[in-house]
Amino acid sequence: SFERIILEEGEEVLLGRDKSLPSCCHFAQDKISTLHCRVFQQNGDIIVEDKSTNGTFVNGERIGKGQQT
């Protein structure tokens, strides 16, 4: 099941396998990196930044390590 997270300007959430992440952000799957991506709001837009070694997909499109969409 998924939990909806509301991000305010300047807030961020980290997603990955790291067990120290909140339960809503922790995924125990092999294809998920320990620190997989960062999601944050900037100027009213939701930004996804790839932090993984496995690649991050947004709406079926792969974004490269360190890239944002």
Side-chain angles (χ1 to χ4, degrees):
S1 89
F2 292 95
E3 182 177 327
R4 182 177 292 218
I5 299 171
I6 308 283
L7 292 176
E8 300 295 331
E9 186 73 30
E11 291 183 329
E12 71 176 18
V13 66
L14 301 173
L15 305 175
R17 272 194 340 242
D18 187 334
K19 291 180 182 175
S20 70
L21 295 173
S23 62
C24 65
C25 305
H26 172 255
F27 300 92
Q29 297 177 353
D30 292 340
K31 292 186 179 182
I32 304 290
S33 295
T34 302
L35 178 55
H36 198 81
C37 67
R38 176 173 79 115
V39 181
F40 60 100
Q41 186 183 141
Q42 184 177 48
N43 300 322
D45 294 323
I46 298 297
I47 310 294
V48 178
E49 180 180 15
D50 184 17
K51 297 284 195 181
S52 73
T53 56
N54 300 323
T56 297
F57 289 79
V58 176
N59 295 326
E61 299 286 325
R62 185 178 185 152
I63 60 173
K65 185 164 179 76
Q67 291 186 330
Q68 300 176 353
T69 187

